[in-house]
Amino acid sequence: MKINPQSCQALILLLITLSLANFISLSFIAIVLLIILWSLMCALEQLTRPSTFVGNGLALAVMITLAIDVGFSDTVNLFVSMLLSAIALKQLIAVLDRHIKLIAVTQTFLIASLFLYQQNLFFTLLSVSLLILNLLALNLLADNTQLLWFRIRL
């Protein structure tokens, strides 16, 4: 089993989702976790990616669950949940390197949003380690010429 950027991004998103499970609706978290596990299996080439029809159905299910369970009154939970679902759905259909780069940049904001819920040492260390893992996943996408230039500069 080879480590690729998509599997790293899926693992990072899995850790983020599990750390947000205490603060966001469990039914919403369950649907997002299923999508993340599906994208992880696709990244490891164990399952095929969904069709457009199935992807749109998943997006509709996520949005209905978001509207019912999270609601519109708590805007912080709503926007963090929307960002989480958007990244999970994008990760499920991502095939190009630029899609994975977009996921990594967006995940940076999601990692930073962990501080909205907890401001303690554990979440700080978790956030810093997730940011480092996110940068390492981006490094897997780099060309060998870029890596050589980076090593020379160090």
Side-chain angles (χ1 to χ4, degrees), residues 9-28:
Q9 294 296 332
L11 288 174
I12 293 168
L13 192 59
L14 183 69
L15 291 173
I16 293 170
T17 306
L18 291 175
S19 64
L20 289 173
N22 290 334
F23 309 105
I24 300 175
S25 167
L26 287 180
S27 58
F28 177 77

Side-chain angles (χ1 to χ4, degrees), residues 42-61:
C42 289
L44 297 174
E45 298 175 354
Q46 302 293 323
L47 291 174
T48 59
R49 300 207 178 273
S51 65
T52 305
F53 182 73
V54 173
N56 288 337
L58 283 171
L60 182 65

